[in-house]
DNA sequence: TAACGCCAATCTGTGCAGGCATAAAAATAA
DNA sequence: TTATTTTTATGCCTGCACAGATTGGCGTTA
């Protein structure tokens, strides 16, 4: 089941652009890409359309396909996030996402306490109980999956679609954190208690408690992993000038 | 300079799908679309690629182009946001975005106080001063543009790309709010003071003050406009089952 | 008879090759 | 400098072959 050809081209070009192999400002020619990648014009064109929507390139007549600067890349595009996490900008990407979740998840917990359907409240209690169980056993593999599930449920239970879609990239950074060996041998009791407290608060419609305890979780994780992005430079894109080209 | 053909097709189909004219579960056939829209295969295919990336459709062999349910739509896609704001789901869209900004902007202000470059701090002071000036004069047109600019600068000054890209949709809802006549005849003194306080706090690197005052702004706007989405239903997409079709 | 499994026909997206039209940069002329 | 022509790469169109999934028929079996 080989993934479709144009997707392969999107993957090929996208990862190279984000990875810096193809530098910003480069001009790609559709005809060149045809020979180099040995595919037909239609797949090139469809791939370029997708990359253009992600903000990686823009194609104009008579000049070609221009590779755009990082500030034009759509930071919410799932593929862009994936490519950045696999590049030397992974520090900056982790920081952005972590800052985002550290403000979104407490609000999601607060909303979930008010709006979550009964089934999700129950499931949260189950998951947090299992997290404590496997966490104390030191079963990090199972714990990781439960952790991802926990945060995904809270985000979904907020009833805010935007929050819910953040579950996927957040799951990715949780996985990345364990893969990079940034997790303690077994989760801290403190963290287990906070997860439990969030689940309890949501199931009893205690919105303030849900927010507070989720906020505690966020503060801890922020402290734990902020070392990764040592001095990854921040990008300031002045909104005054739309700066097209 | 008419925008390119395939973009027109994206616009045509996208707005109709989000608007509900083309209901979820519909099957579109590329050949049909060719005659109906009177364009060639290539533009149809490129348009479908873009719509597929936005999560509006998925195309499979032997069956056609299936229109997906709203929970698959990418809520961070700028076009999806625009189409939703122009549809009968505008209440739900406003709510999502407002909830998001109400947690993101305070955090952005806090980060801006720490990381903002000098030029942006200065500009914030200027803009907030002008907001007070034109606000007290009752010049709502100029005030609106300054307000949009103010929040865009704070988001950009956070140095977080994800926050920065939210400036565009947030600007859209600020515009929408005035167009719908949801703004008072002249801005409240309270609101003017808070904006000023945010600018002051950021320029003096007072992160706690920046967050607190921005949070006040968010609370007020949330109260002012939450009436729009009366009882727009919340969508709960269970993350457990990936549910394909 | 009814249920099951296999196979072929069919339908539709995917990919290929080549053509012309057009817009915009670059070169040239005024 | 300004106006005009030339150049050239994308935009758009069309005909064709292929792949893969659905459907229905056919024969076998319980």
């Amino acid at each position: 089941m080989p993934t479709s050809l144009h997707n392969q081209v999107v993957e090929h070009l996208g990862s190279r652009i984000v990875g810096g192999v193809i530098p910003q400002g480069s001009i790609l020619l559709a005809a060149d890409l045809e020979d180099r990648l040995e595919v037909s014009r239609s797949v090139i064109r469809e791939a370029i359309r997708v990359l253009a929507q992600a903000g990686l390139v823009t194609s104009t007549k008579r000049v070609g396909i221009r590779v755009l600067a990082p500030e034009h890349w759509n930071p919410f595009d799932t593929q862009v996030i994936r490519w950045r996490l696999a590049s030397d900008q992974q520090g900056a990407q982790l920081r952005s996402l972590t800052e985002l979740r550290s403000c979104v998840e407490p609000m999601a917990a607060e909303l979930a306490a008010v709006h979550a359907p009964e089934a999700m409240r129950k499931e949260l209690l189950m998951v947090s109980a299992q997290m404590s169980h496997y966490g104390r056993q030191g079963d990090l593999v199972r714990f990781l999956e439960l952790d991802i599930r926990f945060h995904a449920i809270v985000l979904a239970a907020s009833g805010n679609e935007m929050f819910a879609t953040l579950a996927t990239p957040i799951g990715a950074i949780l996985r990345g954190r364990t893969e990079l060996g940034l997790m303690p041998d077994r989760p801290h009791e403190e963290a287990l208690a906070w997860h439990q407290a969030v689940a309890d608060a949501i199931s009893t419609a205690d919105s303030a408690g849900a927010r507070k305890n989720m906020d505690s979780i966020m503060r801890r994780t922020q402290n734990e992993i902020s070392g990764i992005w040592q001095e990854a430079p921040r990008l300031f894109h002045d909104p005054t000038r739309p700066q097209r080209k």
Side-chain angles (χ1 to χ4, degrees), chain A:
Chain A
M1 185 201 86
T3 157
S4 59
L5 207 38
H6 71 264
N7 271 321
Q8 292 179 34
V9 174
V10 168
E11 192 65 32
H12 180 93
L13 292 177
S15 57
R16 260 151 236 266
I17 291 173
V18 173
V21 180
I22 306 176
Q24 59 168 292
S26 306
I27 301 288
L28 307 176
L29 269 48
D32 281 7
L33 294 175
E34 282 181 47
D35 330 331
R36 289 226 329 263
L37 306 181
E38 294 181 328
V39 291
S40 74
R41 215 180 314 183
S42 49
V43 306
I44 293 289
R45 290 176 51 83
E46 289 167 34
I48 294 301
R49 283 279 96 73
V50 173
L51 293 172
Q53 213 201 358
L56 298 194
V57 302
T58 179
S59 76
T60 58
K61 276 195 163 178
R62 175 49 213 256
V63 44
I65 299 150
R66 139 173 287 128
V67 177
L68 293 175
E71 59 259 32
H72 294 105
W73 303 349
N74 180 356
F76 286 101
D77 185 286
T78 57
Q79 302 192 98
V80 170
I81 292 174
R82 192 160 43 76
W83 292 326
R84 288 191 71 198
L85 283 176
S87 77
D88 57 1
Q89 307 165 41
Q90 80 159 2
Q93 178 63 72
L94 279 171
R95 184 182 58 205
S96 304
L97 264 172
T98 305
E99 285 173 359
L100 179 63
R101 70 180 290 231
S102 76
C103 71
V104 163
E105 294 208 42
M107 167 127 249
E110 181 180 340
L111 290 168
V114 181
H115 298 111
E118 193 53 36
M120 286 189 175
R121 297 180 203 258
K122 288 225 175 83
E123 197 180 354
L124 267 183
L125 288 174
M126 268 188 47
V127 171
S128 69
Q130 290 192 333
M131 283 178 72
S132 295
H133 178 76
Y134 289 110
R136 294 199 179 99
Q137 280 194 326
D139 186 342
L140 287 184
V141 179
R142 235 177 282 250
F143 179 82
L144 172 62
E145 292 310 314
L146 288 166
D147 195 15
I148 292 172
R149 181 108 161 275
F150 180 90
H151 291 279
I153 296 172
V154 172
L155 290 166
S158 71
N160 182 314
E161 324 82 84
M162 305 187 102
F163 293 178
T165 58
L166 292 175
T168 306
I170 286 175
I173 71 175
L174 289 178
R175 278 214 179 73
R177 186 174 57 162
T178 38
E179 281 168 11
L180 293 174
L182 290 160
M183 285 289 285
D185 289 355
R186 60 189 59 214
H188 295 100
E189 276 299 323
E190 223 180 3
L192 296 179
W194 285 329
H195 281 82
Q196 187 68 55
V198 168
D200 289 341
I202 289 179
S203 70
T204 60
D206 169 17
S207 57
R211 170 185 275 275
K212 188 166 73 59
N213 285 287
M214 184 63 95
D215 199 57
S216 299
I217 297 175
M218 290 301 115
R219 281 177 202 282
R220 175 179 266 288
T221 64
Q222 186 122 14
N223 284 337
E224 276 177 359
I225 66 170
S226 60
I228 301 185
W229 54 76
Q230 308 103 345
E231 287 112 28
R234 286 180 182 266
L235 286 184
F236 299 95
H237 179 313
D238 194 331
T240 311
R241 301 166 269 211
Q243 108 185 45
R244 253 305 130 192
K245 52 173 153 178

